[in-house]
Amino acid sequence: MASGHSRPLVGLLWSLLIAALLLVLVPVSPPQGDLRPVAPPSVASPPASPPRESAEPPPPEAAGPTPPAPAGHTAVVHVFLAAGQSNMSGRGLPSGGAYDPADPRIFQYGAKNRTFRAATVPLDMHDSATGISPATTFAREYLKTQPRNVSVLIIPAAHGATLFSSALDKLTWSVGVAADPKFDLPALAVAQTREGMAAAKAAGYSVELKGILWHQGESNSSISTSAYAAELDELIAFFRSRLSSSKLPFIAGGLSPEGIAATPGLANIDKAQRETPSRVAYTGFAKAMAGGVNQGDRTHFSRVGIEFFGKTYLSAYRQAIGNTGQQLTPITQRTLMVFSAGS
């Protein structure tokens, strides 16, 4: 048995032995200030690059609504000369405002404001129009049949109360009669058309002359069917020659049935106009509707009558395009040769 003095020594020896065993059996880790697990080092990523513009279109839901094409940026302009007297100028009521919102595909080159610009209601005619014109309703119907890249340019050249006349000092549609250029409506209409086409081309459009819209006759009730037919055929030949388009479609619009019934002599004009497609190739006749006149008026078409004309002028335009088998009348043949030689 160990003595009392040896017991502390034995205890110390046992303590040293246990410490030695612990050093052998338990690895000693270096001291750490933070006992939380340390994430392994990550591989450095390259710096983020700016977003790349994809060559592929975004999905439909991300693309947003397609913005409408700005006015004046359609690729092709189809040109129509609107000539004659008051009904072509525009007397259809009611008109303007909410009835006639602006159409970004219909333009005009006005008789007074000679700029290529959006069409208005009323149009900028040679006189002071007061209502909607069949040229406008025709353009609306026509564009329904055309691709979206096509627009219409109206050349508004009509003037109320004008006629075929031999008077030297008044506005006239008779070819080569006016003594003063300011009275020569056919020549003025041609000049306005040429200017309008040039303005559209200068604005970057592809321009195509497509036709002539005609409404006239109320002021010529005193002449015969044959006399009116001769004047009209000569005018058609003049327009085609001066505008360098021998097959340019020409559409004549019918007079109001109420006016024909009330005015002696208008039946002669109506007959001459209806027979135009059988006399002259590439012409058509647009029927008028009964009851389509302004209240208390037997001559001027109301909005209803003008909208009806929009459809019948389009139908007559198609008729004119297909009217290729008819022979020109002798006067038209002679006039064409004279104009062609002098142009």
Side-chain angles (χ1 to χ4, degrees):
M1 219 175 145
S3 65
H5 294 285
S6 63
R7 286 177 183 166
L9 179 61
V10 173
L12 176 62
L13 290 176
W14 276 107
S15 297
L16 292 174
L17 179 61
I18 291 171
L21 290 173
L22 289 175
L23 289 174
V24 174
L25 296 177
V26 180
V28 178
S29 299
Q32 298 184 15
D34 190 352
L35 298 180
R36 291 176 298 174
V38 178
S42 59
V43 178
S45 301
S49 58
R52 182 170 58 90
E53 292 184 2
S54 173
E56 297 295 325
E61 62 272 13
T66 302
H73 285 71
T74 50
V76 182
V77 171
H78 290 178
V79 181
F80 290 90
L81 168 61
Q85 58 180 104
S86 54
N87 272 314
M88 181 55 70
S89 173
R91 301 295 188 268
L93 299 173
S95 67
Y99 288 102
D100 298 295
D103 189 324
R105 297 171 68 197
I106 303 179
F107 302 94
Q108 66 179 335
Y109 186 82
K112 295 180 283 292
N113 184 346
R114 302 297 266 260
T115 58
F116 176 75
R117 59 194 176 98
T120 53
V121 177
L123 290 164
D124 180 11
M125 287 285 180
H126 194 266
D127 66 350
S128 297
T130 58
I132 190 168
S133 164
T136 300
T137 55
F138 164 80
R140 292 171 180 169
E141 295 297 326
Y142 177 81
L143 285 173
K144 294 176 184 178
T145 71
Q146 300 300 308
R148 290 295 302 173
N149 69 320
V150 172
S151 60
V152 164
L153 170 59
I154 300 171
I155 308 295
H159 193 113
T162 52
L163 68 164
F164 291 111
S165 169
S166 59
L168 302 179
D169 59 348
K170 294 181 180 180
L171 291 170
T172 180
W173 287 107
S174 293
V175 174
V177 169
D180 190 320
K182 69 183 180 182
F183 298 133
D184 192 343
L185 289 171
L188 291 172
V190 167
Q192 186 180 345
T193 302
R194 288 173 173 171
E195 289 177 19
M197 294 175 67
K201 288 178 182 177
Y205 294 87
S206 174
V207 179
E208 301 175 18
L209 180 61
K210 286 294 187 178
I212 300 171
L213 310 176
W214 173 259
H215 197 285
Q216 190 276 337
E218 295 91 347
S219 294
N220 276 123
S221 60
S222 62
I223 67 176
S224 67
T225 297
S226 60
Y228 186 89
E231 293 274 15
L232 184 61
D233 295 356
E234 189 173 12
L235 179 65
I236 295 169
F238 174 84
F239 280 146
R240 288 174 173 173
S241 174
R242 289 292 188 262
L243 294 172
S244 304
S245 181
S246 62
K247 298 179 180 179
L248 185 63
F250 181 98
I251 295 85
L255 307 178
S256 74
E258 292 83 357
I260 295 172
T263 307
L266 282 187
N268 295 335
I269 310 306
D270 180 64
K271 185 173 187 294
Q273 292 178 340
R274 288 178 181 272
E275 292 176 349
T276 302
S278 65
R279 295 191 316 270
V280 186
Y282 303 104
T283 62
F285 176 75
K287 296 179 180 179
M289 72 174 290
V293 291
N294 288 318
Q295 187 173 3
D297 191 337
R298 292 181 296 214
T299 300
H300 299 112
F301 290 95
S302 66
R303 181 178 193 86
V304 172
I306 295 298
E307 289 180 340
F308 182 84
F309 260 149
K311 296 177 173 61
T312 60
Y313 265 88
L314 179 61
S315 177
Y317 179 72
R318 291 170 175 155
Q319 175 194 14
I321 292 173
N323 183 10
T324 61
Q326 306 298 329
Q327 296 297 317
L328 298 178
T329 60
I331 185 171
T332 308
Q333 290 176 332
R334 184 180 73 251
T335 306
L336 263 179
M337 288 189 292
V338 170
F339 290 148
S340 298
S343 59

